[in-house]
Amino acid sequence: MNTYQSRAKTAQIVCTIRSLVTELQSRGLDYSAIENGIHNYPASRRLIVEGQGCISFPDYKAKAYLNPVERTLYYLFLNHPEGIKSDDLVVHWKELCQIYSRESTFGDSDFREDKIESLCAESKTVFYATVSRIKRKFCDAVGNLNAESFIIKKEKGGRYKVESVNVITK
């Protein structure tokens, strides 16, 4: 699809949305109620771990590809639904190393440990960047609103966690 076709399709979708909003307003709903209904619509929470770095979102017919460090961090949070504080990543060192050794193609254990060390470093630069990349990839795959169900988010109290998702492993 070229740029002109893409813009035309986008304009058509916007016109349809405006028409639907007008219809809802004619039924007595104000704009804030419509917006609230959209944002509170139950989101899908199913994802499939397909292997080779592929995370599939079957309800959205979409996929995202994570590199080994991203997968390692994401799988750690899936294993810990209670959440983990960023400063406590080092407490999960052994588990991170086990996940990364399974996800990485590198045979050099020193290299693998360096990757996990950078993820757990006191500065948290690699941790924050990795969380951000995962979020961007999921948002690109299923849209910002839908990705909220799958991304790693910081909650009150400083814990990072993934909402309750239904993980299917292939």
Side-chain angles (χ1 to χ4, degrees):
M1 186 180 304
N2 66 34
T3 304
Y4 175 76
Q5 289 172 325
S6 178
R7 286 183 184 158
K9 182 68 175 168
T10 300
Q12 181 183 15
I13 292 169
V14 169
C15 287
T16 301
I17 291 170
R18 283 185 182 150
S19 172
L20 291 170
V21 167
T22 301
E23 183 179 335
L24 289 170
Q25 287 173 328
S26 73
R27 294 177 184 214
L29 292 172
D30 65 3
Y31 189 78
S32 64
I34 296 167
E35 186 177 36
N36 195 27
I38 291 168
H39 290 291
N40 292 324
Y41 189 79
S44 166
R45 298 189 190 284
R46 294 189 315 151
L47 67 83
I48 299 172
V49 176
E50 293 188 8
Q52 305 298 318
C54 181
I55 304 283
S56 177
F57 306 95
D59 298 317
Y60 304 104
K61 295 178 177 62
K63 295 180 180 193
Y65 293 88
L66 304 181
N67 69 40
V69 172
E70 294 163 350
R71 290 194 306 272
T72 298
L73 187 63
Y74 194 69
Y75 297 162
L76 176 73
F77 282 98
L78 289 178
N79 290 342
H80 294 276
E82 74 281 2
I84 301 170
K85 289 187 174 187
S86 60
D87 289 338
D88 292 342
L89 274 178
V90 73
V91 172
H92 300 278
W93 177 271
K94 197 174 203 175
E95 184 178 2
L96 283 164
C97 287
Q98 288 172 343
I99 297 169
Y100 189 72
S101 68
R102 188 178 65 230
E103 296 301 320
S104 173
T105 57
F106 296 105
D108 181 2
S109 62
D110 289 339
F111 179 83
R112 290 194 310 254
E113 282 200 15
D114 288 346
K115 288 291 190 180
I116 300 305
E117 190 172 312
S118 66
L119 191 61
C120 296
E122 196 171 325
S123 70
K124 301 296 177 259
T125 305
V126 173
F127 170 75
Y128 297 136
T130 304
V131 168
S132 181
R133 280 194 316 272
I134 294 167
K135 179 180 179 178
R136 180 182 42 79
K137 289 177 179 184
F138 286 6
C139 287
D140 288 349
V142 299
N144 294 354
L145 186 59
N146 297 328
E148 287 295 315
S149 299
F150 304 104
I151 61 173
I152 299 168
K153 290 189 269 192
K154 185 176 183 181
E155 301 210 329
K156 288 182 181 177
R159 287 188 174 277
Y160 286 82
K161 65 189 285 187
V162 175
E163 285 184 17
S164 174
V165 296
N166 181 13
V167 180
I168 302 162
T169 306
K170 277 191 167 181

